Amino acid sequence: MELRRRTALARFKNSSSREGASKNVVSRRDLFYVNEDGTLKRVLVPLLLPEKCYDQIFVQWDLLHVPCLKILLSKALGLGIVAGSLLVKLPQVFKILGAKSAEGLSLQSVMLELVALTGTMVYSITNNFPFSSWGEALFLMLQTITIAFLVLHYRGQTVKGVAFLACYALVLLVLLSPLTPQAVVTLLQASNMPSVVVGRLLQAATNYRNGHTGQLSAITVFLLFGGSLARIFTSIQETGDPLMAGTFVVSSLCNGLIAAQVLFYWNAKAPQKKKKQ
């Protein structure tokens, strides 16, 4: 590799010293050998591609190398989901704050979703999965716990909400500590499927009973649905863990149900509460 880099550099210097456009031609491969340790490689390796795939695509110009293209697509999707997760539930938070009400949101559903996100995050950290394969769980967890607190707050249970935040932080520290056996972490991840299903069904039942979706944010619902669909591919590609992939399949089905309800109840509004005379 070092010899090829020096040869390419020599070609580049020789060609640049010659006159005439026809004599200043350097192959694309030579240019990449010259800039092999340059900006492009620092950006792509190892963030989006392993070094072998970088060489395969950008040095050997094998642009249709399917295994490397899968890795590139998976990494790009994963990082896109992680970046998007920073904003996914903010519309829901702002909608609650703007209305000063959490009407239409099922607290039980929010709590079960928090359990599922916590399980995914802890399981991924303990198994040393790439951050691009689970990073959104961290940001969604922070936003979900905020929503849970706001639901309690607008129900007049602020003290209970503060106590909940403190207890959750303590439980999370214990789960991430060496004190927690791996079997317990795996069991927590396995419980994600029933947690997701029950949580989404509770929210769906609340929507059906109310005849509207209340303060449920359509933007958040559709982003969660799209993100869970993309995660099926990235979890298979990056972790190869059937438990992770299965969780996202179930999550996609359940998120799809809520998204369908949002569309069905699109024009339905919560009845105005009569003011006391």
Side-chain angles (χ1 to χ4, degrees):
M1 183 66 73
E2 180 63 27
L3 179 59
R4 288 192 298 178
R5 189 186 296 111
R6 290 177 179 176
T7 303
L9 183 60
R11 290 178 185 174
F12 181 75
K13 288 180 178 179
N14 290 336
S15 63
S16 62
S17 63
R18 298 171 187 170
E19 296 180 356
S22 61
K23 296 181 181 180
N24 274 318
V25 177
V26 182
S27 71
R28 291 178 297 176
R29 182 178 298 183
D30 289 344
L31 285 175
F32 268 97
Y33 282 132
V34 172
N35 196 37
E36 194 173 33
D37 295 319
T39 304
L40 182 63
K41 187 171 184 179
R42 287 197 299 270
V43 169
L44 296 180
V45 180
L47 185 62
L48 292 176
L49 284 171
E51 189 166 358
K52 288 182 179 179
C53 281
Y54 175 87
D55 291 340
Q56 189 76 33
I57 295 176
F58 294 102
V59 176
Q60 299 181 26
W61 288 99
D62 185 1
L63 301 180
L64 298 178
H65 192 268
V66 176
C68 288
L69 289 177
K70 282 184 176 181
I71 293 174
L72 179 61
L73 176 60
S74 177
K75 288 286 188 183
L77 269 177
L79 291 174
I81 293 170
V82 172
S85 68
L86 291 167
L87 305 174
V88 164
K89 292 200 172 189
L90 288 185
Q92 182 67 80
V93 172
F94 292 146
K95 192 169 184 179
I96 294 173
L97 291 173
K100 298 187 184 304
S101 167
E103 183 181 3
L105 273 75
S106 167
L107 180 60
Q108 293 88 345
S109 175
V110 174
M111 293 296 189
L112 286 170
E113 184 178 2
L114 183 60
V115 170
L117 290 169
T118 303
T120 297
M121 184 178 67
V122 172
Y123 182 74
S124 300
I125 292 174
T126 55
N127 283 281
N128 296 316
F129 291 153
F131 185 72
S132 59
S133 70
W134 63 269
E136 81 279 4
L138 170 62
F139 302 117
L140 290 176
M141 177 270 290
L142 294 173
Q143 294 167 69
T144 302
I145 201 171
T146 300
I147 292 171
F149 173 77
L150 289 175
V151 171
L152 289 169
H153 172 67
Y154 286 115
R155 288 184 179 181
Q157 300 174 331
T158 305
V159 175
K160 185 183 290 187
V162 173
F164 163 70
L165 293 179
C167 291
Y168 178 78
L170 180 61
V171 170
L172 186 60
L173 287 174
V174 172
L175 288 173
L176 291 173
S177 73
L179 298 174
T180 305
Q182 181 64 33
V184 173
V185 174
T186 303
L187 181 62
L188 181 62
Q189 173 65 15
S191 71
N192 277 4
M193 290 190 199
S195 295
V196 169
V197 171
V198 174
R200 286 291 181 259
L201 289 180
L202 284 172
Q203 183 62 61
T206 299
N207 295 338
Y208 177 77
R209 185 169 58 251
N210 292 340
H212 59 81
T213 54
Q215 301 307 319
L216 201 62
S217 169
I219 297 174
T220 294
V221 169
F222 290 126
L223 286 175
L224 287 173
F225 178 49
S228 59
L229 282 175
R231 268 295 174 219
I232 298 174
F233 171 71
T234 61
S235 59
I236 293 173
Q237 181 66 35
E238 294 197 48
T239 70
D241 191 303
L243 194 56
M244 287 278 286
T247 299
F248 288 117
V249 169
V250 172
S251 179
S252 296
L253 292 173
C254 294
N255 286 330
L257 173 61
I258 303 299
Q261 283 189 316
V262 169
L263 292 174
F264 184 78
Y265 293 120
W266 190 265
N267 293 319
K269 294 183 179 180
Q272 295 287 336
K273 292 183 178 180
K274 294 182 180 180
K275 295 182 179 181
K276 293 182 180 180
Q277 299 294 334

